[in-house]
Amino acid sequence: MSTDAADPLALFLKVTAFAAEKHRKQRRRDVEASPYINHPIALANVLKNEGGISDPIVLCAALLHDTIEDTETTYEELRAAFGPEIADVVAEVTDDKGLEKDARKRAQIEHAHLKSPRAKLVKLADKICNLRDMVDRPPAEWPLARKQEYFDWAKSVIDRLRGAHGTLERLFDEAYARRPR
């Protein structure tokens, strides 16, 4: 891990600043076009304050989970800045942009059970937050059928990693129960 390993709070703040900088020009697809950084912060919040996760590797990976996939950030850059443990978890939850969208979605389902315990926690938090956002701040132009399809796909992913964390799985199920109808 990075030189901040002895001080998890310092590491967390360094990671937060890094993620905020990387996502600074990005917006969510909701009606308000909210700042993208709100999403990774929400993941870390769910993990720590709702799931009771205190592992700094997991919390930092949650903040960075979309940096490789959605910014110009590389695995090597994350590894140099924050160490291999964090970079490896982020890499595990990163979709292969070389695949078509449908293939990426299938791969998430097919590989969910193969993820490390830490990556499973980040994946659970990501899906919880995405479902909550889909209900509370849905993408501006998504019709009902597309929202329902997303909910069902997310459930297929989570069903493949069940047993990872009971509380987070319950939170996912509660979010899924709010499926748009």
Side-chain angles (χ1 to χ4, degrees), residues 36-58:
Y36 193 88
I37 191 62
N38 292 355
H39 172 64
I41 291 170
L43 263 70
N45 185 58
V46 164
L47 288 164
K48 176 65 177 155
N49 295 320
E50 296 182 61
I53 306 297
S54 58
D55 180 349
I57 303 299
V58 172

Side-chain angles (χ1 to χ4, degrees), residues 104-134:
R104 286 195 312 265
K105 292 180 82 155
R106 269 193 317 277
Q108 277 201 43
I109 295 167
E110 292 168 2
H111 300 131
H113 69 288
L114 302 173
K115 303 289 182 205
S116 70
R118 287 171 164 162
K120 287 178 180 179
L121 296 175
V122 173
K123 185 62 72 176
L124 271 160
D126 188 30
K127 297 299 183 243
I128 291 165
C129 291
N130 285 344
L131 294 191
R132 288 175 177 176
D133 284 349
M134 193 72 62

Side-chain angles (χ1 to χ4, degrees), residues 17-51:
F18 182 94
E21 175 62 22
K22 292 296 184 170
H23 292 298
R24 77 182 182 287
K25 295 181 182 177
Q26 294 176 312
R27 306 304 256 178
R28 296 287 280 172
R29 293 184 206 152
D30 57 28
V31 175
E32 298 92 19
S34 58
Y36 193 88
I37 191 62
N38 292 355
H39 172 64
I41 291 170
L43 263 70
N45 185 58
V46 164
L47 288 164
K48 176 65 177 155
N49 295 320
E50 296 182 61

Side-chain angles (χ1 to χ4, degrees), residues 9 13 26 30 32 43 46 48 50 57 65 68 81 92 112 118 140 144 151 154 159 161 172:
L9 181 56
L13 292 171
Q26 294 176 312
D30 57 28
E32 298 92 19
L43 263 70
V46 164
K48 176 65 177 155
E50 296 182 61
I57 303 299
H65 81 280
I68 295 174
E92 273 191 85
R118 287 171 164 162
L144 177 61
F151 266 68
D159 284 348
L161 57 75
F172 174 84

